[in-house]
């Protein structure tokens, strides 16, 4: 909330009505003229189907008074009685709402709300998880918007509609436990797959988040990462084959202990792949990463350099840029 607003605590006995579609009459333009609701992602990352708690789609919602008059509205403590998410496919087919949302709205209950007063130029913001409202089962590109009810859900004929955002839902990563069951007969080990550069980076970051070191190193050109340091490169090139093997193993061990090249093994709380560019043999993947520092969130932009060998993309270098913290 950028400006101070006046909040009056109230209680409202709400008897929810039957589930309501969005075909109702749009709110009166004159009544809410100059009042806007806008949405944006809050700590945007990579999103997968389901996973309401461990992979939320947090949306920052802002109600702005851009009129010259005072704006009064009710905001329920349970936001499900103040807003709706309207999500649909590229073919304009609506996604189903969560069963819990429909149950709440069709059950007699006491709804607690606050009466909020926004003077001209003031805003009020809060964050909601889209997955608490919408059931997302399939990877695809969707679009969504937010409906805001200034007089709570009981007055469905009066609402404001936000801007629209696109939502890219990806297939859940197929990463398993790093404690591999290696067959004594076949001596099977992990093998990298011919996946795209962005998937290589995505799976590498997720592996680090889950402390799956075998998967973390799966798409690394560890030898080249080691030689990115001039001093280490000189030692490596002057060493015997046996010493080189030992150097690489020691390098991996020190990485796992967070004692060297700490940026590459830092564990982000969330991340978002911004851009992927590549030719047939070389490429870069740019990623925004957020790190929890207890009292604030540190934000960094990583650029991962990848190249293809025998059909497999590998990370061989990286750059880090510190961005403004949140």
């Amino acid at each position: 909330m950028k400006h101070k607003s006046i909040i009056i605590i109230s209680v409202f006995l709400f008897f929810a009505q039957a589930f309501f579609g969005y075909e109702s009459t749009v709110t009166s333009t004159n009544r809410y003229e100059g009042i806007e609701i806008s949405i944006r992602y809050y700590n945007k990352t990579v999103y997968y189907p389901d996973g309401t708690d461990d992979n939320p789609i947090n949306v920052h919602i802002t109600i702005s008074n851009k009129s010259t008059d005072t704006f009064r509205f009710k905001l329920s403590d349970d936001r499900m009685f103040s807003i709706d998410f309207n999500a649909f496919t590229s073919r304009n087919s609506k996604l189903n709402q969560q069963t819990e949302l429909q149950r709440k709205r069709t059950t007699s209950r006491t709804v607690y709300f606050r009466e909020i007063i926004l003077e001209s130029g003031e805003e009020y913001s809060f964050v909601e998880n889209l997955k608490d409202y919408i059931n997302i089962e399939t990877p695809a590109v969707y679009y969504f918007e937010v409906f805001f009810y200034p007089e709570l859900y009981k007055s469905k004929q009066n609402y404001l509609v936000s801007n629209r955002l696109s939502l890219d839902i990806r297939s859940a990563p197929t990463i398993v436990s790093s404690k591999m069951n290696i067959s004594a007969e076949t001596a099977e080990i992990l093998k990298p797959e011919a996946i795209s550069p962005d998937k290589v980076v995505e799976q590498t970051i997720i592996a680090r988040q889950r402390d799956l070191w075998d998967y973390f190193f799966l798409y690394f050109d560890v030898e080249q990462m080691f030689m990115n340091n001039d001093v280490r490169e000189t030692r490596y090139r002057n060493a015997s084959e046996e010493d080189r093997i030992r150097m690489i193993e020691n390098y991996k061990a020190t990485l796992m202990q967070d004692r060297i090249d700490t940026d590459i093994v830092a564990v982000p709380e969330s991340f978002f792949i911004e851009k992927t560019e590549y030719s047939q043999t070389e490429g870069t993947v740019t990623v925004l990463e957020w790190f929890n520092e207890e009292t604030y969130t540190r934000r960094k932009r990583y650029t991962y350099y990848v190249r293809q060998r025998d059909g497999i993309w590998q990370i061989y270098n990286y750059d880090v840029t510190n961005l403004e913290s949140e």
Side-chain angles (χ1 to χ4, degrees):
M1 181 171 59
K2 296 183 178 179
H3 298 278
K4 184 178 179 181
S5 57
I6 303 174
I7 301 176
I8 303 173
I9 307 299
S10 305
V11 179
F12 178 75
L13 183 60
F14 177 82
F15 185 81
Q17 301 177 15
F19 177 65
F20 163 73
Y22 290 112
E23 289 76 12
S24 298
T25 305
V26 178
T27 181
S28 168
T29 302
N30 292 333
R31 181 174 183 181
Y32 298 124
E33 185 175 2
I35 308 302
E36 294 183 4
I37 175 169
S38 59
I39 58 175
R40 61 178 174 84
Y41 285 103
Y42 181 80
N43 285 357
K44 189 174 183 181
T45 183
V46 178
Y47 301 119
Y48 308 107
D50 301 323
T52 301
D53 295 325
D54 57 0
N55 183 234
I57 303 175
N58 289 324
V59 179
H60 189 271
I61 303 168
T62 300
I63 303 163
S64 305
N65 183 4
K66 297 185 177 181
S67 72
T68 57
D69 301 322
T70 299
F71 175 53
R72 298 172 181 265
F73 64 92
K74 299 171 183 176
L75 188 69
S76 63
D77 292 348
D78 185 341
R79 302 286 192 255
M80 290 183 178
F81 293 99
S82 284
I83 67 168
D84 262 326
F85 280 89
N86 181 29
F88 44 92
T89 68
S90 58
R91 296 186 177 182
N92 210 33
S93 298
K94 291 182 180 177
L95 299 187
N96 293 327
Q97 291 185 317
Q98 292 285 5
T99 303
E100 176 64 14
L101 173 64
Q102 300 182 41
R103 185 191 65 79
K104 284 185 176 182
R105 290 177 175 174
T106 54
T107 304
S108 179
R109 64 176 59 232
T110 299
V111 174
Y112 295 88
F113 69 91
R114 302 177 182 187
E115 185 176 75
I116 298 178
I117 302 174
L118 292 183
E119 299 297 342
S120 178
E122 291 186 337
E123 297 179 344
Y124 188 91
S125 299
F126 53 93
V127 176
E128 284 293 289
N129 180 8
L130 181 148
K131 286 185 177 179
D132 287 336
Y133 295 77
I134 301 295
N135 185 25
I136 303 176
E137 299 178 338
T138 307
V141 175
Y142 301 101
Y143 300 90
F144 70 91
E145 58 199 4
V146 168
F147 283 48
F148 168 58
Y149 307 107
E151 297 299 324
L152 302 183
Y153 184 74
K154 71 181 182 65
S155 301
K156 298 183 296 294
Q157 70 276 15
N158 294 320
Y159 61 86
L160 292 164
V161 185
S162 74
N163 56 302
R164 186 174 295 181
L165 296 179
S166 62
L167 172 63
D168 183 8
I169 299 294
R170 302 191 180 186
S171 300
T174 55
I175 291 183
V176 296
S177 173
S178 62
K179 296 182 179 179
M180 299 177 295
N181 295 319
I182 302 178
S183 170
E185 297 179 359
T186 61
E188 292 177 346
I189 60 174
L190 286 174
K191 294 182 179 180
E193 300 177 353
I195 57 178
S196 62
D198 60 322
K199 283 295 182 182
V200 163
V201 171
E202 176 185 304
Q203 292 200 19
T204 299
I205 296 174
I206 294 174
R208 182 64 192 97
Q209 288 177 322
R210 301 181 184 181
D211 284 333
L212 305 179
W213 289 106
D214 297 313
Y215 280 92
F216 178 76
F217 289 119
L218 190 60
Y219 294 99
F220 264 98
D221 184 342
V222 182
E223 182 182 48
Q224 182 58 57
M225 293 288 292
F226 179 81
M227 291 194 298
N228 287 336
N229 177 284
D230 292 339
V231 175
R232 294 197 303 247
E233 181 181 11
T234 300
R235 288 172 41 221
Y236 187 80
R237 295 194 182 281
N238 293 331
S240 64
E241 184 64 26
E242 183 178 348
D243 287 339
R244 288 182 178 184
I245 294 174
R246 186 174 63 254
M247 286 180 185
I248 295 301
E249 290 304 313
N250 288 340
Y251 174 64
K252 291 171 65 175
T254 53
L255 280 176
M256 293 170 65
Q257 295 170 21
D258 198 17
R259 291 164 47 195
I260 193 171
D261 293 348
T262 54
D263 279 324
I264 195 64
V265 293
V267 183
E269 183 178 44
S270 60
F271 67 95
F272 171 67
I273 296 179
E274 278 190 310
K275 182 172 61 175
T276 303
E277 297 179 329
Y278 60 97
S279 63
Q280 290 186 345
T281 57
E282 295 273 344
T284 59
V285 181
T286 306
V287 185
L288 281 179
E289 301 186 23
W290 288 266
F291 299 85
N292 186 2
E293 301 290 345
E294 295 185 358
T295 58
Y296 66 97
T297 300
R298 187 183 299 277
R299 191 164 59 103
K300 299 183 179 182
R301 175 176 285 110
Y302 278 68
T303 301
Y304 296 89
Y305 297 90
V306 296
R307 61 189 173 198
Q308 188 174 191
R309 288 182 175 177
D310 300 324
I312 303 297
W313 288 97
Q314 292 182 309
I315 300 170
Y316 69 89
N317 203 352
Y318 70 98
D319 289 330
V320 182
T321 302
N322 291 318
L323 303 176
E324 184 178 353
S325 299
E326 298 177 350

